[in-house]
Amino acid sequence: MTQPNRPAHPLDPIFSPRSVAIVGASRSRDSLGWALVHNLVRAEFQGTLYPVNPKARSIHSLRCYPSVSAIPDPVDLAVITVPRDFVAGVVDECLAAGVGGLVVITAGFSETGAEGRALEEQLRERVRAAGIRMVGPNCMGVFNTAEEVRLDATFSPTPPLPGSIGFVSQSGALGVAVLNLAAGLGLGLTQFISMGNKADVSGNDLLEYWEDDPATRVICMYLESFGNPKRFTEIAKRVSRKKPILVVKAGRTEEGARAASSHTGALAGADVTVSAFLEQCGVLRADTIEELFDIARAFERCAPPAGPRVGILTNAGGPGILATDACVSFGLAIPPLSEKTRKALRSFLPRVASVDNPVDMIASATADHYALSLATLLEDPELDAALVINVTPVLGDPRDILERIADVARGSEKPVLAVMMARDEFYAAVKGRGDLPPVYAFPESAARALARLAAYGAWRQRPAAEPLPELAMDDAAIAAELDGADADGHLPPARAFRVLELAGIPVARHRQVGSVAEAVAAAAELGFPVVLKAVATGLVHKSELGAVALDLRTAAEVEEAARGMEQRLAAAGLAPGGFLLQEMARGGQEVIFGISADPKLGPLLMFGLGGKYVEVFRDVRFGVTPLAPSEAREMVLGIKGRKLLEGVRGEARVDIDLLVDALLRLARLATTHPRLAELDVNPFLAAGGGRSRALDARIRVTPPATG
Ligand code: ADP
Ligand code: MG
């Protein structure tokens, strides 16, 4: 039952059975029970098929059995497609007969409501108690194209092609479309599985199944939800070191939709969390199935490049420019060519050709020109990959050009992707030719695929296990501060600043007071100039309401500002809650730190350019826990405004290490205190020479769990 070259696995009875019973097999051609038998026969399943149906003698020329228990031989896999109310009985019978694995096609379970959910729960319990695995219910089946198995236990009308991609789909309907598209592109799969309701077998199981399967070189997943994100992180991080995992994640979760009262929440949205989460696991995300397959084709045929530097070779100027723009926008580099490479190109290309990057060989370029130029680019140590573009003259057939490109590409470790702007006949002729470079119809899709190859290469070069720093904090004191939230879940400013201090993050000197008179006294104590801010439950953006007064220089100014704020709060219907006085800070760069907890995926961290315009510039980066030091540094240095931190136009460089340290501390704070639902430090004044500090902090907690 085990395929050669791989260890035994609990999913073997499902993917590599020696015998399959189709329970609910049917003679009627418009039923799933017929389609399943038909597909198994069409694929030439290498084991034995046992249709089960008490009302038929034979189906599809196969002898039919009245029940699973009537089958005279052991059954490895039972595919169940009987009406819902018979499923439990059939499963019991299968378990009694010692069936090795189940695929339940039948729908009507947890996707239909409480009753279905209860039935599904019972199914899961029975199957788990028996120690076997079940795919579904409510799924479209599984297939395995391995020559010694040839199992197609799906009802998909399109027969699968063998190949090196493992595909798991959470949606059955989409599964049919996926198989169509794959076959249309000539993309071959090792195994395909439609998980349906994931009552037992989940995406995590499939990752582990493909982890050590030598035949599966690329893993593709269509996901709608993460059942167990913690386990997914663990497994995906490990598996993506060995082979690429590409994911299309659809749908925003209801739980993930956040209140937009915090900047972090407004900027993030559930989708950003998912992206940050996947990125951290080394998983590559695609927006559509089409994109997924474009990227998968590159991974199937090319090794990741050592770096982002691409040489572009073309016979037409326009597509060369499009390719350049696309590469750059996806984060790749198109460096100028070395004098040596230019000289070599000039020696055989026509004089009117351009030997810059992109190399434009002009419309007269021959297959020889392509081969020689590509070889020259691939030899250049300052290039990591090549993108070759061919625009076919009206009547030409570029097949010979692609063959020559392929010959040269085979002699190099560097990835070569081809853009062939050619007619349909050409595509039909090269479809499924695994020995050719991946071919794309447009420069953008090739550039995107190459960028993902490069991103994966860079991720794999990162150290596998980076120790998290030991950051000591007084967690009991922090927990006590979190207990002191207002009715609406927010901490009063002094408590929020205290939490930051306890976490080891510097804050501006401040006093929180109850009345105007106390404010005047506290200002003198802090020393002028001071900043005055009103405090009130429900007051979110203070400056919008005139509740922030900067640079106050006398007691009279403080008093006047405080009275004005009281009036404005009253006019806005907010109950006064006193004042916050702060030292007046100057210089530096305003940045933002944020935390926004996703109920399923855990805390999302944010760093970016801060201040009043944070939602205008949206120059922020996200990360998830556990946050490693190199990831924190990438978040800080990854913003577009990085130069502002490094000092432009004579401004001093800010303390970047301190920003990285603060992010790591916030990550540690959020992990240890899951009650912390939202945190915005905006602005944090980033400066040099120990002058960095938080000027504004907002923290929202969820109520403590009762009982
Ligand atoms: P809010 O974000 O609720 O409007 P902030 O406390 O962030 O109120 O203050 C608004 C702006 O005032 C900040 O973005 C910052 O530019 C400035 N500011 C706030 N506190 C100080 C301070 N202590 N020193 C100097 N500038 C400050
Ligand atoms: Mg603010």
Side-chain angles (χ1 to χ4, degrees):
M1 190 157 59
T2 306
Q3 285 176 50
N5 309 324
R6 62 164 301 151
H9 190 280
L11 291 180
D12 283 341
I14 290 173
F15 277 129
S16 308
R18 286 160 304 193
S19 53
V20 177
I22 306 97
V23 192
S26 165
R27 290 177 68 89
S28 124
R29 277 173 173 264
D30 51 7
S31 69
L32 296 184
W34 180 86
L36 281 159
V37 181
H38 174 72
N39 280 6
L40 283 158
V41 171
R42 179 182 65 183
E44 295 177 36
F45 175 52
Q46 295 296 291
T48 314
L49 295 181
Y50 301 99
V52 176
N53 181 338
K55 295 189 197 123
R57 267 186 61 82
S58 69
I59 291 176
H60 228 302
S61 323
L62 296 166
R63 175 177 171 190
C64 202
Y65 294 83
S67 65
V68 173
S69 46
I71 299 172
D73 303 307
V75 171
D76 284 338
L77 170 65
V79 181
I80 299 173
T81 174
V82 297
R84 185 193 74 174
D85 293 339
F86 296 101
V87 171
V90 168
V91 166
D92 282 345
E93 204 190 328
C94 289
L95 297 180
V99 166
L102 298 172
V103 171
V104 182
I105 306 279
T106 309
F109 289 87
S110 64
E111 81 279 12
T112 60
E115 192 198 339
R117 206 168 308 126
L119 284 174
E120 188 171 309
E121 185 52 41
Q122 287 163 19
L123 270 192
R124 185 210 330 263
E125 277 166 20
R126 278 182 231 200
V127 168
R128 294 225 164 139
I132 67 165
R133 305 303 312 258
M134 169 178 71
V135 175
N138 184 27
C139 75
M140 65 162 288
V142 301
F143 71 63
N144 180 0
T145 58
E147 194 49 41
E148 65 279 12
V149 181
R150 302 186 67 115
L151 172 86
D152 181 359
T154 72
F155 50 84
S156 160
T158 325
L161 297 172
S164 58
I165 296 172
F167 198 107
V168 47
S169 173
Q170 192 168 343
S171 153
L174 195 96
V176 176
V178 162
L179 296 180
N180 259 326
L181 188 61
L185 287 165
L187 264 187
L189 308 181
T190 47
Q191 285 92 24
F192 166 88
I193 170 166
S194 148
M195 297 187 291
N197 295 355
K198 303 198 290 185
D200 177 39
V201 171
S202 72
N204 291 339
D205 295 309
L206 273 305
L207 286 179
E208 291 194 310
Y209 177 77
W210 284 317
E211 177 174 7
D212 295 312
D213 175 24
T216 302
R217 294 216 309 273
V218 184
I219 298 173
C220 291
M221 314 181 90
Y222 171 84
L223 298 179
E224 284 167 357
S225 64
F226 296 100
N228 185 344
K230 266 215 157 66
R231 220 183 127 225
F232 180 87
T233 313
E234 243 167 66
I235 299 172
K237 268 190 172 173
R238 189 181 74 227
V239 176
S240 58
R241 295 245 155 224
K242 301 184 186 170
K243 51 189 77 172
I245 305 172
L246 316 181
V247 166
V248 176
K249 165 74 179 66
R252 288 159 170 259
T253 57
E254 190 62 26
E255 321 100 293
R258 291 183 182 77
S261 74
S262 75
H263 291 292
T264 312
L267 286 166
D271 225 39
V272 172
T273 322
V274 169
S275 285
F277 169 74
L278 292 176
E279 195 182 318
Q280 193 205 31
C281 306
V283 172
L284 300 149
R285 188 175 187 184
D287 286 332
T288 62
I289 296 287
E290 215 174 344
E291 234 182 82
L292 179 90
F293 281 157
D294 277 346
I295 301 167
R297 278 155 58 211
F299 276 98
E300 202 192 10
R301 300 184 189 180
C302 303
R309 300 165 305 176
V310 184
I312 299 178
L313 184 62
T314 180
N315 67 344
I321 296 168
L322 286 180
T324 307
D325 287 350
C327 283
V328 170
S329 78
F330 290 126
L332 297 167
I334 312 293
L337 300 178
S338 68
E339 193 41 51
K340 190 178 167 217
T341 299
R342 296 156 67 95
K343 217 175 135 199
L345 290 169
R346 245 185 247 118
S347 71
F348 52 78
L349 286 179
R351 289 188 51 174
V352 284
S354 157
V355 293
D356 290 324
N357 197 6
V359 177
D360 184 354
M361 302 178 294
I362 67 166
S364 59
T366 61
D368 277 341
H369 286 140
Y370 269 99
L372 286 168
S373 302
L374 178 60
T376 308
L377 291 183
L378 292 176
E379 268 162 31
D380 187 334
E382 283 160 37
L383 294 175
D384 305 303
L387 200 65
V388 184
I389 303 169
N390 176 264
V391 180
T392 315
V394 188
L395 288 173
D397 182 343
R399 248 176 286 179
D400 53 333
I401 290 181
L402 186 61
E403 296 287 357
R404 296 291 299 281
I405 293 171
D407 287 342
V408 177
R410 275 191 284 270
S412 172
E413 295 278 284
K414 298 178 184 177
V416 175
L417 280 69
V419 178
M420 306 295 287
M421 298 175 128
R423 297 194 301 175
D424 292 349
E425 297 92 284
F426 163 81
Y427 279 98
V430 301
K431 188 172 112 175
R433 283 273 308 274
D435 59 327
L436 297 175
V439 180
Y440 300 86
F442 296 102
E444 292 81 1
S445 24
R448 183 191 289 113
L450 184 50
R452 295 292 163 64
L453 267 183
Y456 180 65
W459 188 83
R460 266 223 309 222
Q461 280 165 27
R462 288 195 355 205
E466 200 180 334
L468 292 185
E470 287 283 340
L471 299 167
M473 296 176 194
D474 185 344
D475 286 308
I478 292 172
E481 295 296 339
L482 296 182
D483 282 338
D486 286 347
D488 69 348
H490 286 95
L491 297 194
R495 283 194 189 273
F497 282 123
R498 185 75 193 126
V499 168
L500 292 180
E501 279 182 315
L502 287 166
I505 294 167
V507 305
R509 286 191 298 121
H510 62 275
R511 303 268 187 287
Q512 190 178 340
V513 298
S515 68
V516 177
E518 283 168 21
V520 172
E525 233 178 274
L526 278 174
F528 293 102
V530 294
V531 171
L532 176 79
K533 300 178 185 178
V535 177
T537 301
L539 175 59
V540 181
H541 299 302
K542 295 180 287 297
S543 24
E544 273 169 28
L545 240 142
V548 176
L550 304 176
D551 205 15
L552 304 176
R553 291 166 178 268
T554 62
E557 279 182 26
V558 171
E559 180 168 353
E560 194 194 327
R563 299 244 179 260
M565 285 181 194
E566 277 188 335
Q567 281 167 13
R568 284 189 291 276
L569 286 195
L574 293 169
F579 298 94
L580 182 80
L581 283 123
Q582 284 180 311
E583 58 172 320
M584 174 71 201
R586 290 185 201 281
Q589 262 314 316
E590 294 194 348
V591 298
I592 179 169
F593 287 110
I595 299 172
S596 169
D598 183 291
K600 280 204 130 169
L601 301 178
L604 175 76
L605 292 143
M606 185 177 88
F607 173 80
L609 287 187
K612 276 193 277 191
Y613 301 119
V614 48
E615 280 166 43
V616 178
F617 294 127
R618 296 181 159 261
D619 187 8
V620 292
R621 298 268 300 177
F622 296 94
V624 291
T625 57
L627 190 73
S630 68
E631 289 163 345
R633 191 163 293 274
E634 262 174 38
M635 282 175 69
V636 172
L637 295 180
I639 61 168
K640 295 189 203 84
R642 168 180 178 165
K643 288 215 170 69
L644 293 173
L645 305 179
E646 289 170 336
V648 277
R649 297 180 192 273
E651 282 174 31
R653 177 188 171 85
V654 313
D655 187 344
I656 286 172
D657 289 345
L658 183 135
L659 299 178
V660 173
D661 180 65
L663 260 181
L664 292 169
R665 288 176 179 278
L666 289 176
R668 149 80 167 78
L669 180 71
T671 329
T672 323
H673 300 278
R675 280 189 63 204
L676 202 158
E678 275 182 304
L679 172 148
D680 259 354
V681 180
N682 183 33
F684 182 89
L685 194 71
R691 289 181 303 115
S692 302
R693 55 217 188 282
L695 303 186
D696 185 22
R698 238 173 108 73
I699 292 178
R700 186 172 68 81
V701 297
T702 50
T706 43

